[in-house]
Amino acid sequence: MDRAVPARLTSTHWGVFEPVVVDGEVVEVLPFERDPAPSYLGASIRDGMLGDTRVRCPMVSESWLLRSPRRGPGRRGAGRFVQVSWAEALDLVAWELDRVRTCHGNTAIYAGSYGWASAGRFHHAQSQLRRFMNLLGGATTARGAYSFAAAQAVLPHVIGSTDGCVDGHSDWDTIIENTDMVLAFGGLPAKNAQVGSGGFGEHHTPGHLRRVAARGIRVVNVSPLRDDCPEELNAQWVPVVPGSDLALVLALCHTLVVEGLYDRDFTATRCVGFDEFRAYLVGAVDGVSKDARWAGAHTGVGAEDIVALARSLAGGRSMVMMAWALQRGENGESMCWAVVALACLIGQIGLPGGGFGIGYSAVNGPGNGRRRVRWPSLPQGLNPVTESIPVARIADALLDPGGRYEYGGRKHTYPDIRLVYWAGGNPFHHHQDLGRLAEAFQRPETVVVHDLHWTATAKHADIVLPVASALERNDLGASGRDNYLIAMAQALPALASSRTDFDIFTELAGRLGFGDAFTEGRDEKAWLRHLYGRFQESVDFPTPSFSEFWRRGWLSVPDEPADTVLFGQFISDPGGAPLNTPSGRIELFSQTVAGFGYPEIPGRAHWREPTEWLNGPGATTYPLHLISNQPATRLHSQLDAGSVSAAAKIRNREPIRLNPGDASARGISPGDVVLVRNERGSCFAGAVLDDAVRQGVVHLATGAWFDPVDPATAGSPCAHGNPNVLTLDKGTTRLGQAPIAMSCLVEVERFDAEPPAVRAWLPPPPADRGVRLADAIAARLNEGPSRPLTSSTTD
Ligand SMILES: Nc1nc2c(c(=O)[nH]1)N[C@H]1C(S)=C(S)[C@@H](COP(=O)(O)OP(=O)(O)OC[C@H]3O[C@@H](n4cnc5c(=O)[nH]c(N)nc54)[C@H](O)[C@@H]3O)O[C@H]1N2
Ligand SMILES: Nc1nc2c(c(=O)[nH]1)N[C@H]1C(S)=C(S)[C@@H](COP(=O)(O)OP(=O)(O)OC[C@H]3O[C@@H](n4cnc5c(=O)[nH]c(N)nc54)[C@H](O)[C@@H]3O)O[C@H]1N2
Ligand SMILES: [Mo]
């Protein structure tokens, strides 16, 4: 029987917590009593979510008001901000939206707004934004996720869905019971499983990993970082050259084929395209045999070791795993395809403990064997604008309106975006080549950002609307990968004059004439009751009344983990339960993809040298491969100023880990400030020496807030250590146009002079309202849209 717990819980992407509030302040954050392995990130909520980095009132950039040219201090990201009233801010935003849609059409509004925002499902920023924009007449949006856009593009052609990557993983219990060997590309990084979108009641992954260790399952960690597998797994470390894993997988396949160790029945009856794939492996297509010696030269892994690895894969029950990160590099689609192909040759897909899985420890949840529940979510309506761009092509789109590009087998044209509207994401965290993004952000006529904090994205906006944090509003927390619904009861009043995204859009919708359609007559609490009611109608188990649920703080779905074996049904009955591919089988060769005519992915997994990797020509100038993975100390850029992340900084800068050999060759000692650079940009960081990092590799996690030393000058170095000033902004292939943050070379040098001050967490400089700006605000407002707007009464 569930015990009663204190009513005030909050759900975060890193788990459920109970904030203890005394005199209007959070004095402590307690873990949820049902969570067997709470995340240490809870400690960062106080400073990271509620601290001094917050935006306190609506702010408008001076240069936008004065229409300064976008150079020098007029550049977005470099300017001063003036405080305005809510009425002024909302009028300005409503008028801009109306002006742009009237003059340029709704496609000129970009509401892609990618990002994780916060865990509550009603105050889910992108859902609120999209609901609002759809009622406005639509907007250009984004497709795919930074997390796994390449997999989303390729897997449907290979297995008919994204099962085994996004969802539907074989469960850990079955693996722990049956698997002899786990081959893990990118390891099983325990730090990542602290996190899950929407939040969740229980962290399961640590327990699973402990049981993998206890059963003594052989784990092979193919990664540039030894600690991508927790120590307890006692994994064999294969310190591969980053970006070369595809060659390794092809050589494993090659060995299985030439040694006759592959499963002939599986490839003949559950797959199509084996002959084409084999021809490629043995060199019949391009004259290059993808054998172990060939792969040895690319990967830095001994040819004998590759052959031995292939034999052991075929010699027992084997599970091939891959971190999502491996498709966040150039040719990411081929890496996914090759991993599936390897599992097909082993022939154990659909058998307990065998097959493949992508992203097992990427987030909390994959493989926990729980049934998926349709939790409540805000209805978004339909977008009348059919235009969308691949999520990671945002800078291209802004820089090249009308430009032609190919994506997913079709030709497309970038829309002419005049207004960028971002709510719930931080592109100056997540996008690659931030110097280029900063240029792209100079292009639109207007940029509107809703955020809690003065992020670099907020600093690059014209109008910044301050949002109340998850602790300052009521919400429902839930994740499709978990069994809990959390009553997120407001713990604090909204900070200063911040408001929820919902309140902001309600006001804007009112001004634009569709207030009732947006709210449907409901306020926050009424929406929560309504969404809860819809959830109750959709499930087949008893649920408490809303009041009872709210009083208690949570409910959990009565469910026991069930055995799930990915594609179990298809494997046992390929004719009766076919996959959603043209052939109904796993496609090792796809006519459809071949028909797109992309030489970089010609209908099957295909090796091509990445633009940047240690064995390429670029390594002469930039001889270190940068791994910019997910941070252990925060969620992306969120909680950067929190205690956990702040404590790890070195002289206020993000730590960069180097192999001791590489460090000593450069005269770098622990604690030194270093400059990390390549042709795209540079950043400062604080040196940490660690032999868990492969030679030739440096590790600088994402998420340190972008902090250009001189924001008025293009390409100014980042004082704080954001790796995305260095990463390459290029699509994986034309199939997925996915981000390739992991394919990046750099050089690192000791910085002996006084390094620049870090100002990442400070607000931008304020502008005095004065007569000139007051006039400018009035002029903006008087210009008027195509038709009069109702003037506002609220402030
Ligand atoms: N180099 C490199 N870059 C990467 C990656 C990598 O591996 N390497 N990984 C990529 C991946 S997988 C991802 S998912 C992205 C993540 O990129 P993002 O999801 O953009 O990163 P977050 O820091 O989570 O940004 C969320 C923002 O929303 C704000 N926010 C929180 N709650 C609310 C709210 O209620 N309303 C509003 N309006 N705002 C809110 C937060 O303050 C924060 O600024 O990064 C990508 N970038
Ligand atoms: N603590 C924390 N957890 C998170 C997040 C966070 O911000 N903080 N973000 C969440 C999100 S949005 C996502 S999408 C997931 C992402 O989950 P993952 O994609 O698994 O995350 P990463 O940490 O970027 O990458 C895992 C490991 O892959 C390895 N790797 C990188 N390139 C290569 C390569 O070329 N070859 C090999 N063999 N290995 C390579 C890196 O060493 C890295 O540590 O994480 C989620 N979990
Ligand atoms: Mo992600």
Side-chain angles (χ1 to χ4, degrees), residues 628-689:
S628 57
N629 63 354
Q630 305 290 11
T633 57
R634 56 188 171 254
L635 172 70
H636 317 133
S637 70
Q638 299 192 51
L639 307 178
D640 188 31
S643 53
V644 178
S645 166
K649 306 266 173 184
I650 292 173
R651 292 171 66 191
N652 298 328
R653 276 152 248 269
E654 189 61 17
I656 184 170
R657 289 200 299 165
L658 300 101
N659 179 279
D662 292 323
S664 81
R666 291 164 177 78
I668 295 168
S669 306
D672 282 350
V673 170
V674 296
L675 185 67
V676 193
R677 57 179 177 82
N678 62 18
E679 65 208 6
R680 288 175 291 276
S682 58
C683 69
F684 292 88
V688 174
L689 275 45

Side-chain angles (χ1 to χ4, degrees), residues 278-600:
R278 180 179 50 193
Y280 175 63
L281 291 176
V282 300
V285 175
D286 54 7
V288 180
S289 166
K290 312 301 174 302
D291 56 27
R293 270 184 45 169
W294 168 82
H298 288 324
T299 57
V301 184
E304 324 73 58
D305 295 337
I306 298 175
V307 170
L309 198 53
R311 289 177 186 156
S312 27
L313 285 170
R317 190 52 57 89
S318 301
M319 185 77 197
V320 185
M321 295 186 178
M322 179 186 124
W324 287 342
L326 275 93
Q327 50 83 70
R328 245 179 277 126
E330 219 171 348
N331 309 320
E333 295 89 349
S334 279
M335 185 60 199
C336 295
W337 209 332
V339 158
V340 176
L342 175 60
C344 289
L345 297 197
I346 298 169
Q348 297 171 1
I349 296 175
L351 301 182
F356 73 94
I358 304 176
Y360 264 101
S361 192
V363 286
N364 182 59
N368 68 7
R370 305 298 161 99
R371 75 166 147 171
R372 303 230 10 151
V373 181
R374 275 191 76 85
W375 296 114
S377 65
L378 181 72
Q380 298 180 13
L382 289 177
N383 188 358
V385 172
T386 50
E387 198 92 44
S388 66
I389 60 166
V391 69
R393 298 278 55 82
I394 175 65
D396 288 0
L398 293 175
L399 289 168
D400 187 20
R404 310 273 296 157
Y405 69 102
E406 290 187 50
Y407 169 48
R410 295 175 57 187
K411 294 189 185 344
H412 300 264
T413 306
Y414 288 121
D416 185 2
I417 295 166
R418 305 293 178 113
L419 187 151
V420 169
Y421 206 118
W422 222 290
N426 186 358
F428 282 87
H429 157 73
H430 66 234
H431 197 57
Q432 283 55 68
D433 197 348
L434 292 183
R436 184 167 186 264
L437 184 70
E439 292 316 305
F441 258 65
Q442 307 306 323
R443 298 295 180 96
E445 291 162 9
T446 301
V447 178
V448 182
V449 167
H450 294 193
D451 207 302
L452 288 70
H453 301 281
W454 274 116
T455 61
T457 303
K459 290 175 187 169
H460 280 82
D462 301 314
I463 304 174
V464 181
L465 303 180
V467 173
S469 78
L471 292 179
E472 297 155 22
R473 59 201 193 198
N474 296 292
D475 212 331
L476 301 168
S479 155
R481 298 192 177 98
D482 180 66
N483 286 35
Y484 285 80
L485 182 67
I486 305 297
M488 299 169 62
Q490 182 170 350
L492 298 170
L495 179 97
S497 71
S498 62
R499 294 181 175 183
T500 64
D501 297 288
F502 171 70
D503 283 345
I504 296 170
F505 288 127
T506 299
E507 287 276 343
L508 290 172
R511 281 166 169 74
L512 290 156
F514 56 90
D516 291 344
F518 181 74
T519 63
E520 295 180 24
R522 297 186 194 97
D523 62 8
E524 177 196 71
K525 259 298 179 52
W527 266 106
L528 299 186
R529 280 178 184 277
H530 170 73
L531 294 174
Y532 185 81
R534 287 185 30 160
F535 156 72
Q536 285 183 301
E537 285 161 19
S538 72
V539 296
D540 57 5
F541 47 83
T543 48
S545 70
F546 180 79
S547 315
E548 170 62 17
F549 159 69
W550 199 259
R551 194 188 58 71
R552 190 211 255 180
W554 56 272
L555 66 78
S556 69
V557 174
D559 192 23
E560 284 304 312
D563 286 359
T564 319
V565 177
L566 176 68
F567 299 144
Q569 253 194 314
F570 159 68
I571 296 304
S572 54
D573 182 13
L579 299 180
N580 190 25
T581 53
S583 61
R585 302 191 193 169
I586 299 176
E587 305 218 338
L588 301 181
F589 177 84
S590 159
Q591 283 296 350
T592 314
V593 175
F596 297 157
Y598 301 150
E600 68 271 29

